[in-house]
Amino acid sequence: MSAARGPLKGRAARLGQLMPSGPSTAARTPFVLLVVLLLGGGLITLLLLNSALNQGSFELRELKDRTTELTDEEQALQRDVDAYAAPDALERRARELGMVPGGSPAFLGPDGKVLGVPTVAPSPKPSRTPSRAPDRTGDPAASGTRPPAPGAGTAPEPTATATATATATATAPTAPTTSGR
């Protein structure tokens, strides 16, 4: 229609030069292929990135679980250490080893003078419980105990000499002490 009217003048002529009204001379197929390839490449890149992030999240979850397990194990071991380090447990294990409390200590002053009165540690009392569990077979020879001899229901009373000897032995410093001195 514009060809029938004649050439365009003024503003219309300038717009006509910017936007040609005839068939396009540029091929659109390469441009469309480029846009499709860019979009396809972007989607594949997003897919690979998403897969990598998912893999990382699985590894992170496994590491968090492992950390939780190790933390629980550490806390259990710390409870065991605390139980073994408790004063009553230390005293019980020291008595099992035959150690006795050290009594009151004596100190040396800077001038070499002895301060305090040293006392001898008492000898350990015999334990009423066996040091190891008896064998459950019922055989006294296997458990290390002997059956009492016939007629030996009571022990004879000790004499004065035996009592004096036992007292002297009880005051002898033969037992190790728990004080480390």
Side-chain angles (χ1 to χ4, degrees):
M1 269 193 156
S2 64
R5 283 190 183 180
L8 298 172
K9 295 182 183 176
R11 191 179 221 183
R14 282 181 289 182
L15 286 174
Q17 288 175 354
L18 291 176
M19 298 174 49
S21 62
S24 175
T25 57
R28 292 186 181 184
T29 307
F31 178 71
V32 171
L33 284 176
L34 177 67
V35 169
V36 168
L37 286 175
L38 285 176
L39 288 175
L43 287 174
I44 290 173
T45 303
L46 284 175
L47 179 66
L48 292 174
L49 182 62
N50 191 17
S51 297
L53 288 175
N54 283 339
Q55 180 66 27
S57 68
F58 286 135
E59 290 177 10
L60 181 64
R61 184 73 222 157
E62 289 174 359
L63 290 174
K64 283 184 178 180
D65 290 344
R66 181 71 177 141
T67 301
T68 303
E69 290 173 9
L70 290 175
T71 302
D72 292 344
E73 183 179 352
E74 178 189 16
Q75 289 174 352
L77 290 173
Q78 187 62 44
R79 280 191 303 268
D80 290 346
V81 167
D82 292 343
Y84 285 127
D88 58 340
L90 287 174
E91 179 183 8
R92 180 180 39 82
R93 286 199 315 273
R95 289 197 187 279
E96 288 173 358
L97 292 173
M99 300 175 92
V100 295
S104 61
F107 300 97
L108 290 176
D111 58 352
K113 185 177 177 185
V114 177
L115 303 173
V117 179
T119 59
V120 176
S123 63
K125 297 175 184 173
S127 176
R128 294 183 183 162
T129 59
S131 60
R132 63 180 187 144
D135 192 10
R136 298 195 186 273
T137 59
D139 182 16
S143 66
T145 60
R146 294 184 183 172
T154 59
E157 291 189 22
T159 61
T161 309
T163 305
T165 307
T167 305
T169 307
T171 58
T174 59
T177 65
T178 57
S179 63
R181 293 184 191 107

